[in-house]
Amino acid sequence: MLAPHPVSEEFMTPRSDEASTPAGAAPLRILIAMCYLVHRTGAEMFTRDLAMWLRRRGHAVTVFATAFGDMADELRWASISCITDVADMGARPDVIIGNTQYETVRALLHFHDVPTVTICHDRSADHGRPARFSQVVSHVAVDENCAERLAHEFGIARAQIELIQNGIDLDRFLPRAPLPATPRSAVIFSNYASHDAQLAEVRAACMERGLSLDVIGQGTGNHLPDPAAALGRYDIVFGKGRCATEALVTGNAVVVLDPSSGMGEMVTAASVALGRQWNFGRALMTRPITRQNVLAELDRFDAPDATLAAAWMRVHGGLDVSLGALERLLLRVVGERGVVQVSAEQRASEAAGYMDDWLRRGPVTVQMVDQGLLHRHIDGLQQGLNAQQHLHQAQADTLRSEARRHAEHAEEILGRLEAAEAALAAARAHAAQANAQVDAVHASRSWRITAPLRRLITLVRSGAKAA
């Protein structure tokens, strides 16, 4: 991990500019552009939370995406419009928030004088490339890694890049019960986890330390639309990015780890501020996932320290802090440049530059996007089926084992029953033989001759007892 630094009281208290929103500002019409809202990735959940938060603040919000999943129902229930064609938006927006390049360009070309704010969510993905148009009046990065990309790969001055990090809904992710002195349970919280060698290494380390291990994520078929209620059941969470942040505000001890990227370190009160700056992401995961590396981080578990890290994160990682900063940026942009006038020549030059870059890197057509979505959906289904197959196989093995035990028990009982029946038959034969012998004695001549003697003996015994 990058060199941590102590967390002072200054870090534990939000700045005044983080705690308030400009009063008296008119509500905005906001268009949010996103590639799709299907898989509940970090960027997708950011878009969902942003739209709902802005709507609660009184703004009129429309989300434009090429595909929607069940999150569209959540958004529409909150009176947020969801469209797949920008032409369907009934009124000109005051500002565009672009989360992915292609959808951002589609939106700003349609609304050609609307100021646009772009957000870079990823250091390497193609959708994180900024739209280079005059309408883009501000660039936002969700962490230092993305800010470095904008500055080093696209020549955007660092002073022109706003660092506004992802926030967590603290009303959903409530604090868990105090951590135990010794951890008992752990979970890998990642959509990219699967039944592979990395998971096996984590599981081996947890078993060695006596920890139970679960996996939450789409890759293993155990996808939870709302993980808030589940996180409180675990003491240690392995995760990155948004997953790590959600676990921290819940109060879990967190090890920065993701099967697709590697692992970092246990988040501490001394390192949480720096980890937050890098979004507990790829830049911090510099080591391979091995049993020994995982054991080393498990041994750093410290319940009081984890509680301090969680307290810091709840102060600085909530939606009101992060999205409040974004709202102020939007109000400032609209106030300063509500209409962006671009000459026809400049617009044609920028569009030509975009098309040239698009062609050089290989066009991403709608069909290709749809195919990519379909392949990803199929991969998710296949992973889910694989996980279900593993589960059903384990259940079948358990049932077979129980059936064998029951069969062995039944054979044992049957043997005992047969032995008892044989003993009963022998007893009956013995009883019959004894009865026959008694009957033979009673029928014998000697029994009849000795009858008077037996009566005399009986009388003598009776007299003796009376005396």
Side-chain angles (χ1 to χ4, degrees), residues 195-222:
H195 297 287
D196 54 16
Q198 286 78 18
L199 177 58
E201 292 292 304
V202 179
R203 192 176 299 282
C206 289
M207 288 181 63
E208 190 166 333
R209 289 296 182 265
L211 295 171
S212 64
L213 179 68
D214 289 341
V215 183
I216 296 175
Q218 198 168 37
T220 56
N222 187 25

Side-chain angles (χ1 to χ4, degrees), residues 32-37 40-50 71 99-100 119-122 127 142 166 192 242:
I32 302 176
M34 181 64 187
C35 54
Y36 44 75
L37 292 176
R40 294 182 181 268
T41 62
E44 291 172 272
M45 293 304 295
F46 171 88
T47 301
R48 168 198 175 277
D49 289 347
L50 170 62
M71 279 190 283
N99 290 284
T100 49
I119 302 177
C120 180
H121 291 274
D122 193 278
H127 64 66
V142 299
N166 296 332
Y192 305 102
R242 183 184 183 90

